[in-house]
Amino acid sequence: MSTFSKGTSSCDGDSATNESSAFEGPSDISDSLDHEIAQLTKLRSGPHELLSRAVPGRLRVPISTVKMLVAREGNYSGRGRFSSADSCHILSRYLPVNGPFKVDRMKSRAYVSQFSADGSLFVAGFQGSHIRIYNVDGGWKVQKNILAKSLRWTITDTSLSPDLHYLVYSSMSPIIHIVNVGSPGTESLANITEIHDGLDFSVDDDYDEFGIFSVKFSNDGRELVAASSNNSIYVYDLEAKKLCLRIPAHMSDVNTVCFADDTGHLIYSGSDDNFCKVWDRRCFITKGQAAGVLMGHLEGVTFIDSRGDGRYLISNGKDQTIKLWDIRKMSSNAMYPRLRDDDWDYRWMEYPPRSRTLRHPWDQSLATYRGHSVLRTLIRCYFSPAYSTGQKYIYTGSSDSSVYIYDLVSGAEVARLDHHDAPVRDCSWHPFYPMLISSSWDGDIAKWEFPGSGKPTLARRRRSRWRHFY
């Protein structure tokens, strides 16, 4: 059972206050997230007011699809059609929970997997040097099988360019490689069948080699932003073919980084120093420091996903929580609470039971989501797609071999997908269809759908446990 906490905090300089409450499930709507983002989510995924009034009897949300179709045909809204929010209200009920269905099975661990922005391609990266690009619309055939160059330990991240022409991949090395996805041929063997250009992210004062944990294209495809094991963030100019910015960003490994929105001005980062930070490139040259710090995690931050509006983000943490943030609540200073010993290592130890009851004294997050586990590897989390769900859900992999889906506002665990035999490090929801792909250290790439296309075809399948809170 998942546990959801909401908190209200104010922070100015070195002071912050926090009030929080936890509850099991969505039994009391008054305990749901009480913040502007709750209203924004409702506007994106709620039915039109006139359609709601068209339903006889006591108002209930969600309204059935049949009643909404009747209201549309009767033109109760006066527009003769569904709005995008009406469509999301319908589509968001059909969660991708049926399956799993086989996409692929490899002999090495799957570390990363993501749909392209248009959903036509799917990329999966494995520890055994392979990166596979699948043609989703072409029956999931392998469009490109890339054998990585100079791999160190594993593929740590991949990113497709917005025009889908190029893919970059990183490992525990300061060199990020770029491959032409659109070139002819299915096999791409580094510097033998195709050139894998190396982009050097090191600078003159980097005396020790470092690894790249996270890399992302900017939305215009002109830049890359990367997070490294030497506590820094890097920005690479692809047109100038040179590193244009290095930020000594944190006190420990930077595990995750991303652009906040389409402008590319704001960057979010998360680190093993427990902090999420916001960087504004428009004033960085003069200030040379973060625009703000977000405190609340008690352990390292493994992943950050932006809502895309330059205001809200979520983060996964080694304290076994996902946190929701509003950057307007960030602080100018970082404070380090000492709540436990430093002898715990998430890579091979279970999370201490006593630590689950600890709360950050200056927690600035809007809400905290619990139920999944973040152990052994850098588990990733995401907002659900805007087009089909209005971003009303949060979903995440888990070291207990499952995928969890939480309701953003109520905090309820609305689905749990069980199949894998090892940690699910990454997962990806199709941008338009009710389809979700999970990738695991067991080597399986599994597909979950609504309604599904037949019997599950993975040999080691288990029953999917899921429930709707409606």
Side-chain angles (χ1 to χ4, degrees):
M1 177 73 73
S2 65
T3 304
F4 169 78
S5 303
K6 69 169 183 174
T8 56
S9 64
S10 60
C11 189
D12 182 14
D14 295 329
S15 65
T17 59
N18 180 70
E19 298 175 358
S20 64
S21 61
F23 72 99
E24 297 287 331
S27 57
D28 185 353
I29 195 64
S30 65
D31 285 333
S32 296
L33 179 62
D34 181 19
H35 188 269
E36 178 185 293
I37 193 173
Q39 180 64 20
L40 292 174
T41 303
K42 179 181 177 182
L43 290 174
R44 276 192 174 188
S45 61
H48 191 280
E49 182 181 7
L50 293 177
L51 291 179
S52 302
R53 291 176 179 174
V55 180
R58 180 175 175 266
L59 177 61
R60 298 188 63 177
V61 176
I63 302 169
S64 76
T65 303
V66 172
K67 289 181 178 179
M68 287 192 67
L69 287 170
V70 170
R72 184 190 68 178
E73 295 305 308
N75 198 21
Y76 286 102
S77 67
R79 294 176 302 189
R81 59 179 178 83
F82 283 152
S83 67
S84 60
D86 294 333
S87 299
C88 282
H89 182 72
I90 294 174
L91 292 172
S92 63
R93 275 185 278 175
Y94 302 110
L95 297 178
V97 296
N98 295 329
F101 307 96
K102 179 180 178 180
V103 172
D104 208 347
R105 176 175 291 163
M106 299 289 282
K107 294 182 179 179
S108 64
R109 295 172 172 178
Y111 267 75
V112 292
S113 58
Q114 283 297 293
F115 280 106
S116 60
D118 67 354
S120 65
L121 300 177
F122 182 81
V123 180
F126 302 85
Q127 189 172 19
S129 299
H130 283 278
I131 302 169
R132 288 193 164 182
I133 301 177
Y134 305 88
N135 187 326
V136 177
D137 298 331
W140 289 89
K141 292 181 179 179
V142 177
Q143 178 170 308
K144 204 83 169 180
N145 187 26
I146 300 168
L147 189 61
K149 177 186 177 183
S150 305
L151 185 71
R152 294 187 180 179
W153 177 243
T154 184
I155 302 292
T156 55
D157 205 3
T158 62
S159 183
L160 275 170
S161 62
D163 61 9
L164 307 185
H165 290 167
Y166 298 96
L167 178 133
V168 292
Y169 62 87
S170 62
S171 67
M172 295 307 294
S173 162
I175 307 296
I176 289 177
H177 291 92
I178 185 167
V179 188
N180 187 344
V181 173
S183 59
T186 303
E187 296 295 325
S188 179
L189 185 59
N191 288 7
I192 297 178
T193 60
E194 290 184 342
I195 300 298
H196 291 200
D197 287 334
L199 311 177
D200 191 352
F201 277 62
S202 61
V203 294
D204 293 339
D205 59 348
D206 285 328
Y207 300 108
D208 299 319
E209 286 204 345
F210 57 89
I212 302 292
F213 288 117
S214 175
V215 60
K216 296 289 182 294
F217 271 98
S218 60
N219 283 353
D220 61 9
R222 296 179 179 178
E223 293 180 320
L224 295 173
V225 63
S228 75
S229 62
N230 70 343
N231 311 349
S232 299
I233 299 169
Y234 295 85
V235 179
Y236 191 96
D237 187 325
L238 289 167
E239 293 184 340
K241 296 184 179 180
K242 66 177 183 179
L243 196 68
C244 62
L245 181 63
R246 178 198 171 187
I247 306 172
H250 290 269
M251 300 297 292
S252 189
D253 291 353
V254 186
N255 296 321
T256 177
V257 67
C258 66
F259 289 103
D261 55 21
D262 291 342
T263 66
H265 297 316
L266 292 179
I267 296 173
Y268 300 146
S269 64
S271 167
D272 274 341
D273 64 11
N274 306 355
F275 297 121
C276 299
K277 291 188 177 183
V278 181
W279 306 89
D280 191 336
R281 299 168 65 191
R282 292 166 294 188
C283 60
F284 181 78
I285 295 176
T286 56
K287 291 181 62 178
Q289 61 184 11
V293 181
L294 294 166
M295 296 177 289
H297 279 296
L298 295 171
E299 303 290 348
V301 179
T302 65
F303 197 74
I304 283 175
D305 187 41
S306 172
R307 191 169 178 265
D309 54 11
R311 181 173 295 175
Y312 298 104
L313 63 145
I314 56 172
S315 60
N316 230 349
K318 297 176 184 178
D319 56 5
Q320 315 304 298
T321 69
I322 293 174
K323 285 186 175 291
L324 172 66
W325 310 91
D326 180 346
I327 67 170
R328 293 171 297 181
K329 292 180 175 290
M330 63 189 179
S331 171
S332 58
N333 296 298
M335 292 173 278
Y336 296 83
R338 295 185 177 274
L339 299 178
R340 66 164 192 80
D341 297 331
D342 294 327
D343 56 355
W344 176 71
D345 192 324
Y346 93 117
R347 291 172 296 180
W348 57 276
M349 299 173 70
E350 294 296 320
Y351 195 61
R354 60 186 176 83
S355 295
R356 295 182 183 276
T357 62
L358 299 177
R359 296 293 184 269
H360 197 295
W362 306 295
D363 189 353
Q364 296 164 302
S365 64
L366 302 179
T368 301
Y369 308 80
R370 295 182 175 87
H372 64 294
S373 58
V374 184
L375 300 168
R376 300 181 66 187
T377 186
L378 303 177
I379 303 290
R380 300 185 165 197
C381 65
Y382 303 93
F383 288 98
S384 63
Y387 176 85
S388 58
T389 71
Q391 295 180 302
K392 69 178 293 184
Y393 302 118
I394 290 171
Y395 66 103
T396 178
S398 179
S399 58
D400 66 6
S401 310
S402 300
V403 175
Y404 288 76
I405 303 175
Y406 301 111
D407 183 271
L408 173 73
V409 177
S410 74
E413 177 191 305
V414 298
R416 176 178 170 181
L417 311 180
D418 291 335
H419 155 70
H420 295 283
D421 295 328
V424 177
R425 189 178 190 270
D426 207 354
C427 46
S428 186
W429 196 316
H430 193 283
F432 306 118
Y433 305 138
M435 176 193 301
L436 187 146
I437 307 296
S438 57
S439 57
S440 168
W441 276 12
D442 63 12
D444 278 358
I445 304 296
K447 178 174 62 171
W448 308 82
E449 295 180 294
F450 186 93
S453 56
K455 293 183 179 179
T457 56
L458 283 163
R460 294 199 305 271
R461 64 183 180 271
R462 300 188 211 134
R463 181 173 60 88
S464 168
R465 295 203 304 269
W466 62 282
R467 60 185 180 273
H468 294 285
F469 68 89
Y470 312 118

